Amino acid sequence: MASTNLDHALTTASVIVAAKDQVSSDLAGEAVILNLQTGKYYGLARVAARIWELLKTPTRVANIRDTIVHEFEVAPERCERDLFNFLQQLADQQLIEIKDGIDP
């Protein structure tokens, strides 16, 4: 069962994917997203844009964390904390779907 908000606890095993009701574009390493339901635009800087790119296909939170730790100089604990905060913001804006218990 997919959810666009965090009704249940988000874990590193959760599978996340970009919501269908949005369009996004890469802008020289950054990204812009338009929520088609609300008409709101969102701008993402470099690291957030990379996370967004990873969300174009269903991906486990742990895989996103590991990719960001590998590609950017960040401690795994800080990366995970910041990633959970970012995913919460995306969920609050209905830009992602959380698909717990589903293989990516």
Side-chain angles (χ1 to χ4, degrees):
M1 179 152 94
S3 173
T4 55
N5 60 32
L6 297 178
D7 293 334
H8 48 283
L10 182 66
T11 70
T12 55
S14 298
V15 175
I16 310 295
V17 67
K20 292 174 180 66
D21 291 335
Q22 58 75 29
V23 291
S24 62
S25 182
D26 177 41
L27 299 173
E30 296 186 355
V32 64
I33 305 166
L34 170 62
N35 182 325
L36 297 173
Q37 290 182 342
T38 64
K40 291 183 181 179
Y41 278 96
Y42 304 89
L44 303 179
R46 190 169 144 235
V47 176
R50 178 63 176 124
I51 294 167
W52 183 254
E53 181 181 333
L54 295 170
L55 294 174
K56 290 183 178 178
T57 58
T59 307
R60 288 204 189 281
V61 172
N63 295 345
I64 297 169
R65 179 202 58 215
D66 294 346
T67 298
I68 298 303
V69 167
H70 178 73
E71 294 180 5
F72 299 90
E73 289 187 30
V74 61
E77 299 81 20
R78 179 175 179 189
C79 181
E80 186 170 308
R81 182 184 68 241
D82 291 349
L83 177 59
F84 275 70
N85 288 335
F86 180 59
L87 293 174
Q88 176 66 59
Q89 291 173 7
L90 292 175
D92 289 347
Q93 299 304 317
Q94 300 176 334
L95 294 172
I96 60 172
E97 295 177 5
I98 298 139
K99 301 181 176 197
D100 283 337
I102 298 174
D103 288 331

